[in-house]
């Protein structure tokens, strides 16, 4: 299975609650997103992910972030979650997710971690935290990675610096605090989502 979304931006809704999730996911999808990650350190993530998959799974790649343990994957699979995003390189998690037919974007920082993730079956890589390493580091790392593997910049990505990471070779980005912060209004989410979509389109004309 390969990464397959039309817009290579992952909306990260860390801290979202079940009562809020519908409206914020709808705002992301209306703006043009088609991949959404709800981290497992969010309140009642099981409810939020199951609800989001049921309502929007036909329109977008919906799944979980901050996935750390293989046993979490069985629960995610049972609720129809298709996306698994990890903050680290854990081969057992990646292998189990792939066995269950899920798309894995594995967190890594070094070439060794990147190839460990790919060997375990990850379909995409996220360089985290990208802003700490910078675009030059990612460009150098990309030089040794298989060109067909999409690399996502995650951590500190804003509408203003997104183009720099795309120019360094990233296919897209995972967007956290500059897209959504727990408790913000739906209108704020919609505004930030539109800014990121515009930045991506402007950078890839």
């Amino acid at each position: 299975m390969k990464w397959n979304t039309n817009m290579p931006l992952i909306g990260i809704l860390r801290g979202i609650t079940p009562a809020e999730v519908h409206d914020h996911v709808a705002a992301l999808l209306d703006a043009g997103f088609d991949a959404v990650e709800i981290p497992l350190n969010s309140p009642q993530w099981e409810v939020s992910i199951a609800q989001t998959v049921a309502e929007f799974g036909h329109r977008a790649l919906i799944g979980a972030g901050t996935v750390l343990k293989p046993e979490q994957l069985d629960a995610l699979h049972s609720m129809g979650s298709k996306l698994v995003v990890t903050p680290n390189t854990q081969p057992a998690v990646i292998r189990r997710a792939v066995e269950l037919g899920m798309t894995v974007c594995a967190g890594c920082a070094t070439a060794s971690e990147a190839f460990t993730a790919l060997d375990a079956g990850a379909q995409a890589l996220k360089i985290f935290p990208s802003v700490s390493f910078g675009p030059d580091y990612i460009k150098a790392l990309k030089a040794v990675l298989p060109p067909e593997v999409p690399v996502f910049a995650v951590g500190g990505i804003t509408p203003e610096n997104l183009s720099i990471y795309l120019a360094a070779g990233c296919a897209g980005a995972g967007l956290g605090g500059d897209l959504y912060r727990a408790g913000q209004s739906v209108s704020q989410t919609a505004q930030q989502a539109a800014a990121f979509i515009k930045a991506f389109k402007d950078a890839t004309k």
Side-chain angles (χ1 to χ4, degrees), residues 8-151:
L9 298 176
I10 305 170
I12 304 170
L13 299 178
R14 188 178 306 279
I16 195 87
T17 66
E20 302 169 304
V21 71
H22 172 89
D23 290 345
H24 287 272
V25 173
L28 293 182
L29 271 54
D30 288 346
F33 280 73
D34 58 0
V36 178
E37 162 195 340
I38 297 172
L40 298 192
N41 55 2
S42 302
Q44 293 183 279
W45 61 265
E46 305 97 322
V47 179
S48 292
I49 293 176
Q51 179 181 322
T52 304
V53 168
E55 294 177 351
F56 300 107
H58 63 292
R59 292 178 55 191
L61 185 65
I62 306 293
T66 319
V67 181
L68 299 172
K69 300 176 181 179
E71 51 268 29
Q72 294 170 328
L73 294 161
D74 294 307
L76 291 167
H77 178 66
S78 69
M79 61 184 69
S81 175
K82 299 292 186 186
L83 174 64
V84 171
V85 183
T86 71
N88 59 346
T89 307
Q90 176 51 264
V93 169
I94 297 167
R95 282 194 294 267
R96 181 61 181 151
V98 172
E99 286 172 5
L100 293 170
M102 302 162 102
T103 299
V104 183
C105 185
C108 61
T110 65
S112 293
E113 291 174 350
F115 280 104
T116 296
L118 294 176
D119 288 345
Q123 298 95 342
L125 300 173
K126 78 173 202 186
I127 309 302
F128 177 80
S130 286
V131 73
S132 299
F133 291 103
D136 289 343
Y137 177 86
I138 294 175
K139 186 175 182 179
L141 185 60
K142 277 279 297 177
V144 300
L145 295 175
E148 70 274 12
V149 175
V151 171

